[in-house]
Amino acid sequence: LTEEELRKLREETNAEMLRQELEKERQRRLELEQKVNEVLKARTEEVPAAQQSAKPQTQANGTDKRSHTVCSRLQKWFCDKFGEYVEDFRFQPEENTVETEEPLSARRLTENMRRLKRGAKPVTNFVKNLSALSDWYSIYTSAIAFIIYMNAVWHGWAIPMFLFLAILRLSLNYLIARGWRIQWSIVPEVSEPMEPPKEDLTVSEKFQLVLDVAQKAQNLFGKMADILEKIKNLFMWVQPEITQKLYITLWAAFIASCFLPYRIIGLAMGLYAGIKFFLIDFIFKRCPRLRAKYDTPYIIWTSLPTDPQLKERSNATVSRRLQTAASRSYVGASAPTGISKDEDTSRFHTTKRGNFHEVFNLSENERPLAVCENGWRCCLINRDRKMPTDYIRNGVLYVTENYLCFESSKSGSSKRNKVIKLTDITDIQKYKVLSVLPGSGMGIAVSTPSTQKPLVFGAMVHRDEAFETIFNQYVKITSASSSTES
């Protein structure tokens, strides 16, 4: 390297400054060593003199030394403890730990679902027992519980009673953990058959297993989301007439808490809770009409909308406004005289390929039922065809008032679509494409006189809902046609 490059490197690395700092540190270390040596020499000179002066006074100063050592030990112990507490209160930067996500596995997914079911079993059993008490499943048990509860509330022993029950439950759990066989439940438990887990699963079995678990998780998350959305909409004045009742109730409770003693308020709330739980709910469950008229909490909860329901309502109102505006403009221009309102509104229902009645070459009054307005995703398996392109077709299945319509998603040509008249169907039943798969399958088999083998609509996630809708409409149409013929 040249001198110029060496000079630049020295300037960049600040080598001279580092050398100066090192020299300063060395000087400080030498000074400290000298001071330590001087202190040690002074102490060695003081110790013999102190020993000579302390020999005649050993007996007089023995107690003072002991007290001095005890005080020094206590002082040292206190300082150590105080130092530990100070260290505990030292602020440190929060560590951001990233959790490693496990890869998707069918076995792991089913195991987690079973763990969730086992973990929620005590809660579900507790809820079942409370429901059995309210339904008077065991008359003697419910009567004893009602008398004990009302007596405890009347004498102000409700909180001690609940605490005692919690202690009793923990004591029973301790005995059960120690090996005792103690089991008490109002509702008799029904043992569910548990399928032994298979070690080696085929690809199709794993796929079906993942679909079953995903469907259970979907339904569970849907119920939880409905509950949370209803609570949110209750407090956000989405339905003002419902939230107004809660608002008035809170004001009444606030005024009562300001003027009435807490003992009277607790007594009234406890008596009302016992009467409602044991008597009023029992009557409402046995008389649904009374419940629909006078059970205010039940009416409020059932009438509270979820976010998807609110979205459907807003879309319905917008579509009604568009339909009324379009109908007015259509009538103002030139409207045929023989078209009803239902026929006019059916024009606004479209599929991915275009208007519904034009895609399937049907009359304008034929449109999908409200249950399957968006259709069910599935694949059509035509076992009469031998070509692979015609054997399986992916698409969407619709049900109208008189027809079963399948729209193919591969091509825009109407030749690949399938329209089956409901009155032409000779048999309809649930179908499992592969018999080796567990469960009841995900297909629907439809038999017609024009096909040698039944047409199968498979790979349907909502198979049960689709089958129930198609079967009910099929029974309705066939019964209506038979009555008209007779």
Side-chain angles (χ1 to χ4, degrees):
L1 298 176
T2 61
E3 294 181 358
E4 186 68 22
E5 291 177 351
L6 288 173
R7 187 177 60 80
K8 288 182 179 180
L9 287 173
R10 288 174 183 174
E11 290 178 357
E12 291 177 356
T13 56
N14 296 325
E16 295 296 331
M17 293 179 65
L18 292 174
R19 287 177 183 176
Q20 293 176 2
E21 292 292 334
L22 288 173
E23 290 295 333
K24 290 180 182 179
E25 292 295 331
R26 288 175 183 174
Q27 292 294 332
R28 289 176 185 173
R29 184 175 61 80
L30 293 174
E31 291 176 358
L32 288 174
E33 287 181 355
Q34 291 177 0
K35 290 180 180 179
V36 169
N37 292 329
E38 291 176 358
V39 171
L40 291 174
K41 288 179 181 179
R43 286 186 178 179
T44 53
E45 291 176 357
E46 290 176 358
V47 168
Q51 289 179 355
Q52 291 177 1
S53 62
K55 282 180 181 179
Q57 298 178 359
T58 52
Q59 294 179 355
N61 296 333
T63 57
D64 295 338
K65 288 183 178 180
R66 292 176 183 176
S67 62
H68 179 70
T69 54
V70 171
C71 292
S72 62
R73 289 177 182 176
L74 288 174
Q75 186 178 3
K76 184 180 179 182
W77 178 82
F78 179 76
C79 291
D80 293 339
K81 290 295 181 183
F82 183 74
E84 290 180 2
Y85 287 120
V86 170
E87 287 292 330
D88 293 337
F89 280 98
R90 179 179 292 180
F91 290 98
Q92 295 180 356
E94 185 179 358
E95 296 181 359
N96 295 326
T97 58
V98 179
E99 297 182 358
T100 58
E101 296 183 355
E102 296 183 4
L104 182 62
S105 172
R107 184 177 300 175
R108 187 66 174 171
L109 186 60
T110 53
E111 182 183 353
N112 289 339
M113 287 297 296
R114 288 170 183 169
R115 286 173 56 197
L116 178 63
K117 189 175 181 180
R118 289 194 299 267
K121 191 174 182 180
V123 180
T124 55
N125 289 340
F126 179 72
V127 173
K128 286 180 181 179
N129 287 330
L130 287 181
S131 179
L133 279 176
S134 178
D135 293 340
W136 293 74
Y137 183 84
S138 176
I139 298 175
Y140 299 105
T141 307
S142 298
I144 293 170
F146 177 69
I147 293 170
I148 292 174
Y149 174 80
M150 297 299 287
N151 190 19
V153 171
W154 182 259
H155 291 283
W157 299 338
I159 295 176
M161 182 188 67
F162 288 123
L163 293 175
F164 175 75
L165 290 176
I167 294 170
L168 181 62
R169 182 71 258 183
L170 285 175
S171 302
L172 292 176
N173 290 341
Y174 173 75
L175 295 177
I176 293 171
R178 299 294 294 178
W180 291 46
R181 291 187 178 181
I182 301 173
Q183 187 175 3
W184 178 82
S185 177
I186 300 174
V187 182
E189 294 186 359
V190 179
S191 60
E192 298 180 357
M194 294 292 294
E195 296 181 359
K198 299 180 180 179
E199 296 295 332
D200 297 328
L201 297 175
T202 61
V203 176
S204 58
E205 288 176 347
K206 288 182 180 180
F207 180 72
Q208 183 66 30
L209 196 61
V210 170
L211 283 179
D212 294 339
V213 176
Q215 186 176 9
K216 292 179 182 178
Q218 169 191 300
N219 297 334
L220 177 62
F221 293 155
K223 291 177 182 178
M224 294 171 63
D226 290 343
I227 294 172
L228 295 176
E229 288 174 357
K230 284 189 174 186
I231 295 172
K232 186 244 319 178
N233 293 332
L234 174 63
F235 286 95
M236 294 303 295
W237 293 84
V238 176
Q239 293 283 96
E241 63 276 4
I242 296 176
T243 311
Q244 186 178 3
K245 297 178 181 179
L246 175 64
Y247 191 71
I248 295 171
T249 304
L250 291 176
W251 270 110
F254 170 73
I255 295 171
S257 64
C258 291
F259 293 99
L260 296 177
Y262 287 102
R263 190 170 183 273
I264 297 176
I265 295 174
L267 177 64
M269 292 177 63
L271 292 176
Y272 171 75
I275 293 171
K276 187 177 188 314
F277 181 79
F278 286 98
L279 300 178
I280 297 176
D281 288 346
F282 175 75
I283 296 172
F284 281 155
K285 288 178 182 178
R286 293 297 185 272
C287 304
R289 292 184 179 179
L290 285 177
R291 187 175 194 178
K293 289 182 180 179
Y294 302 107
D295 193 358
T296 305
Y298 173 78
I299 295 170
I300 291 175
W301 184 255
T302 53
S303 57
L304 276 173
T306 59
D307 289 350
Q309 291 174 351
L310 290 174
K311 189 175 180 181
E312 288 178 1
R313 291 180 186 178
S314 62
N315 293 336
T317 54
V318 171
S319 63
R320 286 175 185 173
R321 291 175 184 175
L322 292 174
Q323 289 172 10
T324 53
S327 62
R328 288 175 183 175
S329 62
Y330 183 75
V331 170
S334 60
T337 57
I339 299 178
S340 64
K341 292 182 179 179
D342 292 335
E343 293 173 350
D344 193 21
T345 55
S346 67
R347 296 176 183 177
F348 293 94
H349 185 85
T350 59
T351 64
K352 293 182 179 180
R353 304 297 178 186
N355 293 330
F356 186 84
H357 66 280
E358 294 177 356
V359 170
F360 296 103
N361 196 17
L362 299 174
S363 60
E364 294 184 358
N365 60 350
E366 289 290 339
R367 60 178 182 269
L369 300 178
V371 181
C372 62
E373 189 173 359
N374 297 322
W376 297 294
R377 298 290 304 177
C378 64
C379 63
L380 174 60
I381 303 174
N382 191 350
R383 295 186 294 177
D384 291 341
R385 303 292 181 91
K386 301 299 181 183
M387 294 296 293
T389 55
D390 295 333
Y391 185 77
I392 298 178
R393 300 177 189 173
N394 294 320
V396 183
L397 181 65
Y398 299 94
V399 180
T400 67
E401 189 176 354
N402 298 296
Y403 293 93
L404 189 65
C405 305
F406 175 79
E407 182 184 10
S408 178
S409 59
K410 288 186 178 180
S411 175
S413 176
S414 61
K415 295 180 180 180
R416 303 183 67 87
N417 299 334
K418 190 73 175 178
V419 179
I420 304 172
K421 196 172 183 180
L422 293 178
T423 55
D424 294 340
I425 295 176
T426 58
D427 186 24
I428 177 173
Q429 58 184 347
K430 296 180 181 180
Y431 188 79
K432 184 160 64 171
V433 180
L434 297 175
S435 59
V436 296
L437 293 178
S440 58
M442 299 173 63
I444 298 174
V446 176
S447 300
T448 60
S450 60
T451 57
Q452 297 179 359
K453 297 180 181 180
L455 296 172
V456 178
F457 300 95
M460 299 181 69
V461 178
H462 303 283
R463 193 277 307 272
D464 295 335
E465 177 187 359
F467 177 79
E468 185 178 356
T469 304
I470 298 170
F471 186 77
N472 291 337
Q473 189 65 22
Y474 168 73
V475 171
K476 179 181 176 181
I477 292 300
T478 53
S479 60
S481 62
S482 61
S483 62
T484 52
E485 290 176 358
S486 61

